[in-house]
Amino acid sequence: MAQFTLYSHPVGPNGWKVAQVLCELGLEYETIMKDFGDVENGMKTPEFEAINPNGRIPVLIDHSAGDLIIWESGAIILYLVKKYDPEHKLYPASLEEQALVDTWFFFQMTTYGPYTGQAVWFKVLTGNENPKASERYVGEVHRMCKVITKQLEKPDSKGWLVLGKCTIADLSFLQWTRFLYRLEIDIAKEYPTMNSWVEAMLAFPGVKKSTEGEVWMGKD
């Protein structure tokens, strides 16, 4: 039995974020994919809501800690690096450096991810029925891409958001940034610095392992 059980979804970026951190830290886990909606294998069933009352993925169960259940991707990732990253590969030791990482990490959690999700909802999933909302959210995604590009291009960044190395802050953006094709944003052409950043993360052994069998990037 693997140490962890991860409840995820083939499309949802947040589950993949957790998988990438697990793999980069060399932790063994089993993935159980859930469906959206109130169906037999869905996230709105009584069985799943007994695990996560919010009825969303991801959820992580740490079997080595008395079957500890954690939900919300940010909480899961912080738990993993605080407990299972003694070499500080993805999360620094000092409080001051942690604050720098957390700033970008929470920017992804509270702004970049939600705004990108809303942009996909209004522009793609609802057939652009509300063009003003679509325009607003897609515009915000472009604005944030410029913010990220500026940070990555700072002389001391070495191509990363903070501390001159890859941290959970960078990894938290990876799947959401790969998702931008659904908004007809070609980062290779429009944001080449971000594209190089994405390609660098995709080359990491743990990230490669986590995306084995990945199906959602099929550009539906």
Side-chain angles (χ1 to χ4, degrees):
M1 180 180 180
Q3 180 179 350
F4 300 92
T5 297
L6 172 64
Y7 289 87
S8 188
H9 182 273
V11 174
N14 288 329
W16 292 103
K17 284 163 42 179
V18 174
Q20 287 156 4
V21 172
L22 284 164
C23 286
E24 282 297 316
L25 295 179
L27 300 170
E28 296 296 325
Y29 65 99
E30 175 190 4
T31 302
I32 298 176
M33 294 294 183
K34 304 298 289 184
D35 295 325
F36 291 121
D38 188 12
V39 294
E40 183 178 349
N41 190 43
M43 301 176 199
K44 298 301 182 183
T45 62
E47 292 78 12
F48 188 69
E49 288 185 341
I51 299 172
N52 179 0
N54 192 39
R56 295 286 189 275
I57 61 94
V59 176
L60 188 75
I61 301 178
D62 186 348
H63 301 295
S64 69
D67 290 338
L68 176 68
I69 298 172
I70 313 166
W71 46 280
E72 288 294 318
S73 61
I76 294 169
I77 290 171
L78 285 173
Y79 171 77
L80 290 172
V81 293
K82 288 178 180 180
K83 186 170 182 178
Y84 296 106
D85 188 14
E87 297 178 354
H88 303 288
K89 179 181 179 181
L90 299 177
Y91 197 63
S94 75
L95 182 63
E96 292 78 11
E97 289 188 339
Q98 287 177 8
L100 295 176
V101 172
D102 289 350
T103 297
W104 286 97
F105 185 60
F106 284 104
F107 173 57
Q108 188 282 314
M109 301 288 297
T110 64
T111 310
Y112 187 82
Y115 273 63
T116 301
Q118 290 298 311
V120 171
W121 172 259
F122 283 109
K123 183 177 177 64
V124 181
L125 300 182
T126 61
N128 204 27
E129 292 178 354
N130 188 334
K132 288 187 177 180
S134 174
E135 181 180 354
R136 164 166 168 69
Y137 282 109
V138 174
E140 280 295 293
V141 172
H142 279 288
R143 181 190 67 80
M144 290 183 290
C145 285
K146 293 173 184 176
V147 170
I148 293 166
T149 295
K150 185 176 180 180
Q151 181 69 12
L152 295 173
E153 291 179 347
K154 286 186 175 181
D156 60 348
S157 74
K158 299 180 181 179
W160 303 105
L161 288 174
V162 66
L163 305 183
K165 59 175 286 188
C166 182
T167 68
I168 59 170
D170 301 275
L171 288 176
S172 71
F173 283 86
L174 176 56
Q175 292 302 102
W176 283 101
T177 302
R178 295 179 73 199
F179 216 51
L180 297 187
Y181 79 91
R182 301 203 71 182
L183 299 175
E184 300 177 349
I185 297 174
D186 185 341
I187 64 168
K189 293 181 179 180
E190 299 179 65
Y191 302 103
T193 298
M194 289 183 67
N195 188 64
S196 297
W197 175 54
V198 165
E199 292 298 324
M201 286 186 278
L202 289 174
F204 290 166
V207 173
K208 281 185 176 181
K209 181 179 179 181
S210 73
T211 55
E212 290 176 358
E214 182 188 44
V215 297
W216 70 271
M217 288 303 294
K219 305 257 191 305
D220 56 342

